[in-house]
PDB file of all heavy atoms in Angstrom:
ATOM      1  N   ALA A 521      20.770  49.173   9.141  1.00  0.00           N
ATOM      2  CA  ALA A 521      21.692  49.089   8.004  1.00  0.00           C
ATOM      3  C   ALA A 521      22.330  50.458   7.758  1.00  0.00           C
ATOM      4  O   ALA A 521      23.537  50.562   7.504  1.00  0.00           O
ATOM      5  CB  ALA A 521      20.942  48.613   6.761  1.00  0.00           C
ATOM      6  N   GLU A 522      21.529  51.506   7.851  1.00  0.00           N
ATOM      7  CA  GLU A 522      22.064  52.844   7.581  1.00  0.00           C
ATOM      8  C   GLU A 522      23.026  53.298   8.661  1.00  0.00           C
ATOM      9  O   GLU A 522      24.047  53.926   8.374  1.00  0.00           O
ATOM     10  CB  GLU A 522      20.920  53.840   7.437  1.00  0.00           C
ATOM     11  CG  GLU A 522      20.335  53.689   6.053  1.00  0.00           C
ATOM     12  CD  GLU A 522      19.316  54.748   5.695  1.00  0.00           C
ATOM     13  OE1 GLU A 522      18.883  55.497   6.596  1.00  0.00           O
ATOM     14  OE2 GLU A 522      18.962  54.778   4.507  1.00  0.00           O
ATOM     15  N   ALA A 523      22.714  52.941   9.905  1.00  0.00           N
ATOM     16  CA  ALA A 523      23.600  53.330  11.001  1.00  0.00           C
ATOM     17  C   ALA A 523      24.979  52.704  10.809  1.00  0.00           C
ATOM     18  O   ALA A 523      26.011  53.356  10.985  1.00  0.00           O
ATOM     19  CB  ALA A 523      23.002  52.884  12.326  1.00  0.00           C
ATOM     20  N   ALA A 524      24.987  51.432  10.414  1.00  0.00           N
ATOM     21  CA  ALA A 524      26.266  50.752  10.223  1.00  0.00           C
ATOM     22  C   ALA A 524      27.009  51.366   9.033  1.00  0.00           C
ATOM     23  O   ALA A 524      28.223  51.604   9.095  1.00  0.00           O
ATOM     24  CB  ALA A 524      26.032  49.258   9.999  1.00  0.00           C
ATOM     25  N   ARG A 525      26.257  51.629   7.962  1.00  0.00           N
ATOM     26  CA  ARG A 525      26.927  52.179   6.771  1.00  0.00           C
ATOM     27  C   ARG A 525      27.538  53.553   7.083  1.00  0.00           C
ATOM     28  O   ARG A 525      28.677  53.830   6.725  1.00  0.00           O
ATOM     29  CB  ARG A 525      25.942  52.282   5.611  1.00  0.00           C
ATOM     30  CG  ARG A 525      26.630  52.508   4.267  1.00  0.00           C
ATOM     31  CD  ARG A 525      25.703  52.238   3.118  1.00  0.00           C
ATOM     32  NE  ARG A 525      24.386  52.806   3.397  1.00  0.00           N
ATOM     33  CZ  ARG A 525      23.983  53.996   2.994  1.00  0.00           C
ATOM     34  NH1 ARG A 525      24.766  54.731   2.271  1.00  0.00           N
ATOM     35  NH2 ARG A 525      22.783  54.451   3.305  1.00  0.00           N
ATOM     36  N   SER A 526      26.810  54.390   7.799  1.00  0.00           N
ATOM     37  CA  SER A 526      27.337  55.720   8.131  1.00  0.00           C
ATOM     38  C   SER A 526      28.614  55.598   8.952  1.00  0.00           C
ATOM     39  O   SER A 526      29.518  56.427   8.844  1.00  0.00           O
ATOM     40  CB  SER A 526      26.337  56.526   8.953  1.00  0.00           C
ATOM     41  OG  SER A 526      25.134  56.577   8.289  1.00  0.00           O
ATOM     42  N   ALA A 527      28.669  54.581   9.804  1.00  0.00           N
ATOM     43  CA  ALA A 527      29.857  54.417  10.655  1.00  0.00           C
ATOM     44  C   ALA A 527      30.951  53.642   9.925  1.00  0.00           C
ATOM     45  O   ALA A 527      32.032  53.409  10.481  1.00  0.00           O
ATOM     46  CB  ALA A 527      29.464  53.684  11.931  1.00  0.00           C
ATOM     47  N   GLY A 528      30.661  53.187   8.728  1.00  0.00           N
ATOM     48  CA  GLY A 528      31.656  52.413   7.952  1.00  0.00           C
ATOM     49  C   GLY A 528      31.921  51.044   8.565  1.00  0.00           C
ATOM     50  O   GLY A 528      33.009  50.497   8.443  1.00  0.00           O
ATOM     51  N   LYS A 529      30.917  50.484   9.231  1.00  0.00           N
ATOM     52  CA  LYS A 529      31.096  49.159   9.847  1.00  0.00           C
ATOM     53  C   LYS A 529      30.099  48.164   9.254  1.00  0.00           C
ATOM     54  O   LYS A 529      29.027  48.564   8.794  1.00  0.00           O
ATOM     55  CB  LYS A 529      30.923  49.262  11.358  1.00  0.00           C
ATOM     56  CG  LYS A 529      32.014  50.128  11.973  1.00  0.00           C
ATOM     57  CD  LYS A 529      32.088  49.991  13.450  1.00  0.00           C
ATOM     58  CE  LYS A 529      33.200  50.889  13.992  1.00  0.00           C
ATOM     59  NZ  LYS A 529      33.062  51.121  15.424  1.00  0.00           N
ATOM     60  N   PRO A 530      30.437  46.883   9.269  1.00  0.00           N
ATOM     61  CA  PRO A 530      29.548  45.906   8.640  1.00  0.00           C
ATOM     62  C   PRO A 530      28.270  45.631   9.441  1.00  0.00           C
ATOM     63  O   PRO A 530      28.280  45.667  10.674  1.00  0.00           O
ATOM     64  CB  PRO A 530      30.384  44.618   8.573  1.00  0.00           C
ATOM     65  CG  PRO A 530      31.698  44.933   9.183  1.00  0.00           C
ATOM     66  CD  PRO A 530      31.675  46.287   9.793  1.00  0.00           C
ATOM     67  N   ALA A 531      27.183  45.349   8.683  1.00  0.00           N
ATOM     68  CA  ALA A 531      25.926  44.907   9.313  1.00  0.00           C
ATOM     69  C   ALA A 531      25.432  43.695   8.554  1.00  0.00           C
ATOM     70  O   ALA A 531      25.481  43.659   7.333  1.00  0.00           O
ATOM     71  CB  ALA A 531      24.885  46.008   9.252  1.00  0.00           C
ATOM     72  N   SER A 532      24.997  42.702   9.308  1.00  0.00           N
ATOM     73  CA  SER A 532      24.482  41.489   8.666  1.00  0.00           C
ATOM     74  C   SER A 532      23.143  41.126   9.289  1.00  0.00           C
ATOM     75  O   SER A 532      22.725  41.720  10.284  1.00  0.00           O
ATOM     76  CB  SER A 532      25.475  40.344   8.866  1.00  0.00           C
ATOM     77  OG  SER A 532      25.614  40.091  10.241  1.00  0.00           O
TER      78      SER A 532
END
Side-chain angles (χ1 to χ4, degrees):
E522 281 188 348
R525 194 165 43 95
S526 306
K529 295 194 180 162
S532 62

